[in-house]
Amino acid sequence: MRTISSKVVKKCITRPPPLLLSNTSLTSMASFNVPNQNPSSLIDDFTKFCCQRDLPRAMQALELMHTHRIWADCITYSELIKCCLARRAIEQGKRVHVHLFSNGHEPKAFLMNMLINMYVKFGLLKDARDLFDKMPERNVISWTTMISAYASAKLNDKALEFLVLMLREGVRPNMFTYSSVLRACDGLFNLRQLHCCIIKIGLDSDVFVRSALIDVYSRWGELENALRVFDEMMTGDLVVWNSIISGFAQNSEGDEALGLFKRMKRAGFLAKQPTLTSVLRACTGLALLELGRQVHVHVLKYDQDLILNNALLDMYCKCGSLEDANAVFVRMVEKDVISWSTMIAGLAQNGYSKEALKLFESMKVSGIRPSYITIVGVLFACSHAGLVEEGLYYFHSMKELFGIDPGREHYGCMIDLLGRAGRLREAVDLINEMECEPDAVTWRALLNACRVHQGVDVAIHAAKQILRLDPQDAGTYVLLSNIYANARRWNDAAEVRRAMDNRGIRKEPGCSWIEVNKQIHAFILGDKSHPQVSGINIRLNQLIHKLMGVGYVPDTNFVLQDLEGEQMQESLRYHSEKLALVFGLMSLPKGQTIRIRKNLRICGDCHLFAKLIAKMEQRIIIIRDPVRYHHFQDGFCSCGDFW
DNA sequence: ATAGGGTTAG
C-alpha cells in the first residue's frame, strides 16, 4: 500500500466514513468501473491523474469520490481546474465546481478565485459573477479577476464601478488591479485620476502598469504623456518598448516610432513580432519601401506569423509594390480575413480593380467569410474602376450574401461610385436614405464626386455639411471659397475666407517625400531649403518647356480639381510632387522606379505632368496620395484618370 | 489564484 501524505489524511478524516475497500488502484480498475475503492488510494489516483493532467481519468476519479463523499486537498483541485482551463473543458469545470460545493461548507477563497477565473476565461461572465457574489470574503484577487473580466469584455463602466466598490469594501488594489482597470478607461478624465492614484501609492514603477498607462495615453492621442511615462522607466522592458513604439505607429507618427525603434536596438533589446509589426506599420505610413524591405529580412525569422505577414502585405501594398505583396501572399500558409481584405484593398487602391474583384472571388472559394472591411475594399474597387453595376449588386446584396449591414464606409464608396458615373442625383438620394447619420467623411465623398461632374449646388451643400461637422477642415474652406469664386459669388467667397481666418485655420502646405540613397527628401510648397533647389527648378522649367512643345498645356482650371489649394496660377509649376519628381529624375539611376508620397491629393495638372514625363523619360512613376496610388507608365495612369 | 505589446477601410 502506498503512503498517503498527512495532509490528505487530515482532509479525509473530516469526511463521512469510507466504504468497504479493496486495494486495487483505479488505473487497473478503469475498465471494470466498479466503485469499491479504498478512499486513500482513490485520492492518490486522483492526485496522480491531476498532476499528469490526465483529465478523463481525473474526472472519473472525481465522480467516484463524489459518490463516496470523499474530498481531496485544495492543491489537487487547483491542478484539476488548471487542467480544465487548459483543455477548455467547460462541462468538466462545472462538475468540479459542483463537487467542491457539495461538502457542506465553502471552498477556500483561492479555489473560489480559481473557479471565478475559470468561468471568466470560458466567457461565462454571469457564472463568474454569481460565484463572486457568493463569496463571503473577497480578496484583492477576486476583485481583480472580475475587473479584468469586465475590462476584456469592454464593459468599461462595470470595471470602473467594481474598482469603486472594492475600495469601499476596504480592499486595496495592487498593480494587477490597476493594469487591468486602466484598459477600461473610457476617457482622459478617468485616466488622469487613475494615474494620480497610481503615483500616490507608488505603483507607477511596475512595468505592467507602465505599459498599460502608455497604451491608454496613446489610445487617447496623448503621446507626450505616453512618452513621459516611458521615459521615467529605469529598468527597461521589452513590452514597454513595444507599447511606446506601437503608440506612435498607430497614431501615424511613423518618424517617432522609427526613432524609438533605433533607441530600442541601441539599448540592446531584440525586436520580436509585435515590435516588427509596429515598425512595418510605421514604414507603411511613411511609404518607406526600402526600410520595409530591410524589416522583411527580420520577419523571415518568424516565417509564418500571421499578423506579421499581414502587416508585411499591407506595407508592400501601401508602398506601391504589388509584386512583393503578391509574393508574400502566395507564400503565406495561413491566410485570414485580414490577409484577404488587405490584398483586395491594396489592389484596388493601386488601380487594379479587376484583379481585386477576382481575388474576392477566390476568397469566397477559399471559404473565408468576408467582413465589413472586405466589402469596403470590394466597393472601393468597383468605384475606382467605374464598375457601377457590379458595385450596386454587391451593395444591395451584401446583407443577404454575407450578413453585413451597409455602414458609413459602404455608403461612402457608393456615393463615390455614383458620383463618378455622373449619377450625382442618385448619390444624393443615397446619402438621404442612410440609416446612420452621415459624417464628415461621407460628405467629403459627395463633395469629391462633384469634382468630376461639376455639381456646384451639391458641392456647396456638401462643403457646408463638412464644415458643420469638422470646422477645422482647411481644405474644404479653400475649396468652398474657390467654388464661390468660380460662380462669381465674390461676397460668399470672401466670407468663407473670413470665417477661416477668424478661426485661425491655415491650409497645410503641400508636401512630397522621396527616398534617395536611404535618405528621405522632403519638398514643401514654397520652401526653398532643399540644397539642390535651383538645379531642380532649372530642370523643371526645361521639362515643362519641352512638354509644351509636344502640346502640354498647364491645367489651370483647378477650381473643383486642385485640392492642394490656394496657389496662384504660376505656382502650380512648383507643386511639391513636381519638385520631388524632377529630383527623382535627376538622382535615381535610369530605369529605376520613382516613388513619391504626398500629404494632399494630387492635382489635375501634376497628374497630367507625371503621365507625360513617364512617357517622355521612359520611367515608371508611383505617386501615393492620402487616398490612393497612381502608377504612371508610358503616358497612362493606373487610376484611369479617375481619383 | 489576479495584469502587458502586433494586422485590414475611412
Side-chain angles (χ1 to χ4, degrees), chain A residues 336-366:
Chain A
D336 66 356
V337 61
I338 295 182
S339 329
W340 288 95
S341 307
T342 304
M343 201 62 202
I344 290 170
L347 284 165
Q349 285 167 327
N350 280 282
Y352 304 105
S353 292
K354 296 259 164 58
E355 288 80 358
L357 294 181
K358 252 186 245 162
L359 198 66
F360 181 53
E361 294 307 317
S362 320
M363 172 181 180
K364 286 191 279 184
V365 171
S366 83

Side-chain angles (χ1 to χ4, degrees), chain A residues 490-515:
Chain A
W490 309 113
N491 288 340
D492 290 323
E495 197 183 318
V496 173
R497 292 290 169 156
R498 260 199 307 279
M500 193 172 167
D501 286 344
N502 289 343
R503 291 171 196 177
I505 294 161
R506 298 197 48 195
K507 183 89 167 76
E508 187 185 359
C511 188
S512 295
W513 293 267
I514 180 167
E515 188 176 355

Side-chain angles (χ1 to χ4, degrees), chain A residues 17-34:
Chain A
L19 310 185
L20 246 271
L21 313 163
S22 91
N23 219 352
T24 342
S25 86
L26 193 76
T27 339
S28 52
M29 285 293 304
S31 50
F32 296 97
N33 203 20
V34 184

Side-chain angles (χ1 to χ4, degrees), chain A residues 321-512:
Chain A
S321 183
L322 289 162
E323 303 79 22
D324 289 304
N326 198 49
V328 173
F329 189 71
V330 171
R331 277 200 64 242
M332 283 170 70
V333 175
E334 189 192 358
K335 299 182 186 81
D336 66 356
V337 61
I338 295 182
S339 329
W340 288 95
S341 307
T342 304
M343 201 62 202
I344 290 170
L347 284 165
Q349 285 167 327
N350 280 282
Y352 304 105
S353 292
K354 296 259 164 58
E355 288 80 358
L357 294 181
K358 252 186 245 162
L359 198 66
F360 181 53
E361 294 307 317
S362 320
M363 172 181 180
K364 286 191 279 184
V365 171
S366 83
I368 302 262
R369 237 174 64 114
S371 70
Y372 185 99
I373 294 174
T374 319
I375 309 296
V376 175
V378 170
L379 296 180
F380 187 95
C382 295
S383 94
H384 284 264
L387 302 168
V388 183
E389 295 316 315
E390 287 87 340
L392 285 167
Y393 165 73
Y394 285 123
F395 181 68
H396 286 126
S397 56
M398 59 188 279
K399 171 79 177 145
E400 192 191 326
L401 291 179
F402 315 116
I404 297 159
D405 287 311
R408 282 205 185 90
E409 290 82 359
H410 302 112
Y411 277 97
C413 289
M414 292 312 289
I415 289 161
D416 191 62
L417 172 76
L418 292 167
R420 281 166 195 282
R423 292 155 74 162
L424 206 54
R425 191 65 254 160
E426 287 168 70
V428 174
D429 291 344
L430 203 59
I431 221 172
N432 288 329
E433 68 188 45
M434 279 173 70
E435 292 117 51
C436 42
E437 190 70 16
D439 62 359
V441 178
T442 320
W443 289 111
R444 230 170 261 133
L446 187 63
L447 179 58
N448 197 40
C450 296
R451 291 192 316 143
V452 185
H453 297 283
Q454 310 274 319
V456 174
D457 293 332
V458 178
I460 292 171
H461 179 66
K464 282 184 176 166
Q465 295 297 328
I466 295 170
L467 294 177
R468 180 175 60 84
L469 294 162
D470 180 7
Q472 299 298 312
D473 184 0
T476 301
Y477 284 98
V478 175
L479 195 53
L480 182 59
S481 148
N482 285 350
I483 295 168
Y484 281 135
N486 195 46
R488 306 193 160 273
R489 291 168 64 174
W490 309 113
N491 288 340
D492 290 323
E495 197 183 318
V496 173
R497 292 290 169 156
R498 260 199 307 279
M500 193 172 167
D501 286 344
N502 289 343
R503 291 171 196 177
I505 294 161
R506 298 197 48 195
K507 183 89 167 76
E508 187 185 359
C511 188
S512 295

Side-chain angles (χ1 to χ4, degrees), chain A residues 79-98:
Chain A
E79 288 302 316
L80 182 58
I81 295 172
K82 281 187 210 160
C83 192
C84 291
L85 251 176
R87 305 272 157 86
R88 298 204 53 80
I90 300 181
E91 289 314 313
Q92 286 86 332
K94 286 184 175 171
R95 282 299 301 153
V96 178
H97 177 178
V98 170

